[in-house]
Amino acid sequence: GMKAGMAVKPKTPIDVVYPFASKLDQVLVMTVEPGFGGQAFMPECMQKVADLRSKFPDIDIQVDGGLDPDNIGVAAKAGANVIVAGSSIFKANSPGEVISLFRKTVDEAQAAM
């Protein structure tokens, strides 16, 4: 019942995933350098998400790093459908509202695809 996934760091070209994509359930596109929380979202990583979504429309694409209410729309429109968020939720005055916004934004983007 386990699922297979692969992660790519910001400086790793996305085409390293392509030979394995048919065996993967999910690809994690890191939108910050891994290591610690609170880093700024790297919008240049969204091209990787868009490229994956166009080549592999049925794979789950997760983004992790610097996601917040100001940039969740960019990630969702690029094709991300699994969102990891730490600081933007745990430091929010109303974490539930942030989570709801993230869900709504991703759901609306997925429906438009």
Side-chain angles (χ1 to χ4, degrees), residues 22-88:
S22 66
K23 299 187 184 307
L24 298 174
D25 299 295
Q26 177 172 280
V27 175
L28 165 59
V29 176
M30 296 294 301
T31 51
V32 297
E33 288 296 333
F36 60 93
Q39 296 180 64
F41 175 77
M42 299 171 73
E44 61 271 22
C45 295
M46 292 304 94
Q47 187 59 53
K48 293 179 185 184
V49 173
D51 292 348
L52 276 173
R53 181 58 63 215
S54 69
K55 288 185 77 65
F56 307 101
D58 297 325
I59 201 165
D60 281 333
I61 302 173
Q62 179 179 20
V63 290
D64 181 4
L67 279 298
D68 64 30
D70 293 329
N71 58 34
I72 187 64
V74 173
K77 287 178 185 167
N81 65 320
V82 180
I83 308 300
V84 176
S87 298
S88 65

